[in-house]
Amino acid sequence: MYAHVVSLGVTGLDGYPVTVETHISGGLPKFAMVGLPDSAVKESSERVRSAIKNLNCPWPASHVTVNLAPADVRKTGSLYDLPVFIGILAAQQYIPQPEPHQAFLGELGLDGTLRPIAGALPMALAAQKAGVTELFVPAENAAEAAVAEQLTVYPARSAADVIRHLAGQAKLSPANRTGYDAAGQWLGPDFADVRGQAEARRALEVAAAGGHNLLMVGPPGTGKSMLAKRLPGILPPLSYEEALETTAIYSVAGLVQAGTGLLQQRPFRSPHHSVSAAAIAGGGTVPRPGEVSLAHNGVLFLDELPEFSREALEVLRQPIEDGCISVSRVHGTATYPCRFMLVAAMNPCKCGYYGSGVRECSCTPSAIERYRQRISGPLLDRIDLHVEARPVEYDALAAKTGGEPSADIRTRVAAVRAMQAQRYQGLGFTCNAQLPSGMLRRYCPLAPAAEKLLRGAFERMGYSARAYDRILRVARTIADMNGVEQIGAAELMEALQYRRMDRAVGK
């Protein structure tokens, strides 16, 4: 007796079809699973056996062989419980043989209930490409899987629901496909709550308008974290393509909430400074997305930047440049996108009060230098804007009216981003921060006065070639905000003022 059931797997962010073949033959009772299954997949035999018996279905008193094809790709996770369950019952002709256009995913409880799985969205998209038209998934994964437009998704609470559907006794109702709101109204904290900090607010708007990385330096209590948490609220709404890619990453990581379709808000990730390099980059026995990938199309905020380990900080360098990261582990290699905005905050010294005017700094000059040297020159070069957050005056704190709301800033930022997207149409990038070095001369023309100013600054400060490129990109963004095509002395001067840490930290 033989049956085959279509299922799926996922590697990195790419799903692929898996055929679950079941053969029941004579001989002593035994269950054998082949096809490079990991421990979680092998354990499905006990979950499936208990589920079949608790649902009063027949368990074969024979030799059962289950093959997961293709046999040369390692299968991971508990998502094959349901297709194995269906395959065993179909091989005994207890239920009809599933059709080739039907696919099954889900983890089984011992009583036959279906539990949610990770990676439902990329597998649903892969099923759509493979010609599958009907997908059976746990109810919690239905909204996520239903994003695949040419797929009918059936949510099931129990394996018994799937049995009744296949037997024609009680049909499951397809999941409703939720639409995507391109307007993306921001529901998080608002810039109107911020008092003072005009310079930092301006720098954040410049960063948002061009997709630039930002470092804020200032004493404790000046609102650095408060400002960073409000940055996603002034970024343009996620496009459908960005939302699809971001949701796929969160799906693989198992972070999509039950009943959620596409993510509506840009990610904001803020790992603690004790985080490991592997957690930043991604990894595990089976490759999983790290913080840099979970922040894709959003913001990665590192508070107390010098307190992070050197290894964790240095692992950021390649993802910032390339916009993707490859994670190699024992069970395979996966590549994840990680085009994020890096926003960092730090104190000017260990005690936090150097140059603040609030209280006297207790650090020696050598201690201040050692503290700042925890951030390497190559990493600092990759941060476009360095801005100082100063203590807020009492009058600003006591003011009855707040600052400009996020909605107004977001409107300006979205207009500048739309301008950049039109300028770079068809080039593979959409904002100034992603402008390749080879195209700077074409898209960042300097007025004679600006070129003279940049030459003098370059000779005095000894900027690196990377810092030079980033200065031009920031100046391009400021020019876009000012509505001018050629970068003038005013735009370049503002961009140069955002390289303050180059004067304090050597390379």
Side-chain angles (χ1 to χ4, degrees), residues 240-367:
Y240 178 81
E241 292 74 17
E242 289 176 330
L244 191 65
E245 196 172 37
T246 304
T247 307
I249 295 172
Y250 275 69
S251 176
V252 169
L255 298 178
V256 176
Q257 296 182 356
T260 301
L262 289 178
L263 298 181
Q264 302 285 330
Q265 306 290 349
R266 290 189 180 273
F268 181 86
R269 303 292 300 182
S270 180
H272 190 262
H273 59 73
S274 61
V275 68
S276 67
I280 290 285
T285 305
V286 178
R288 285 289 183 268
E291 292 292 339
V292 293
S293 298
L294 294 173
H296 181 61
N297 291 322
V299 176
L300 176 63
F301 177 50
L302 303 183
D303 200 6
E304 304 296 343
L305 184 65
E307 301 300 332
F308 284 78
S309 69
R310 187 71 171 226
E311 185 182 6
L313 291 180
E314 295 307 303
V315 81
L316 291 169
R317 288 160 57 175
Q318 180 263 333
I320 290 174
E321 289 292 325
D322 298 344
C324 64
I325 187 168
S326 294
V327 181
S328 297
R329 293 296 183 266
V330 174
H331 293 309
T333 300
T335 300
Y336 300 105
C338 56
R339 198 166 292 283
F340 56 90
M341 286 180 62
L342 174 64
V343 178
M346 62 176 287
N347 296 329
C349 64
K350 186 68 175 178
C351 78
Y353 293 100
Y354 175 71
S356 68
V358 176
R359 65 178 69 174
E360 186 177 353
C361 174
S362 60
C363 302
T364 63
S366 60

Side-chain angles (χ1 to χ4, degrees), residues 106-176:
E107 175 186 334
L108 285 175
L110 299 184
D111 60 350
T113 57
L114 282 173
R115 294 173 178 165
I117 58 172
L121 176 55
M123 287 188 284
L125 295 174
Q128 179 180 282
K129 292 180 181 179
V132 172
T133 58
E134 296 181 6
L135 180 64
F136 296 80
V137 297
E140 292 84 352
N141 294 118
E144 177 187 346
V147 171
E149 296 179 351
Q150 300 174 9
L151 204 61
T152 301
V153 176
Y154 291 105
R157 298 284 179 185
S158 167
D161 297 336
V162 181
I163 292 175
R164 287 191 288 268
H165 179 95
L166 294 177
Q169 298 171 357
K171 292 292 184 179
L172 291 168
S173 299
N176 294 323

Side-chain angles (χ1 to χ4, degrees), residues 1 24-30 49 58-64 92:
M1 295 179 287
I24 300 176
S25 59
L28 295 175
K30 182 180 179 181
R49 185 197 304 268
W59 178 262
S62 306
H63 190 286
V64 179
Q92 299 177 89

Side-chain angles (χ1 to χ4, degrees), residues 329-413:
R329 293 296 183 266
V330 174
H331 293 309
T333 300
T335 300
Y336 300 105
C338 56
R339 198 166 292 283
F340 56 90
M341 286 180 62
L342 174 64
V343 178
M346 62 176 287
N347 296 329
C349 64
K350 186 68 175 178
C351 78
Y353 293 100
Y354 175 71
S356 68
V358 176
R359 65 178 69 174
E360 186 177 353
C361 174
S362 60
C363 302
T364 63
S366 60
I368 295 173
E369 184 66 15
R370 285 196 304 272
Y371 181 76
R372 295 188 173 187
Q373 287 290 347
R374 293 182 183 180
I375 309 170
S376 68
L379 177 60
L380 197 63
D381 264 353
R382 289 167 167 82
I383 301 178
D384 308 64
L385 296 92
H386 314 154
V387 63
E388 190 173 354
R390 297 184 177 276
V392 183
E393 300 291 338
Y394 174 80
D395 290 341
L397 289 172
K400 294 183 179 180
T401 57
E404 188 178 15
S406 294
D408 294 348
I409 305 173
R410 190 185 207 187
T411 300
R412 293 197 300 268
V413 168

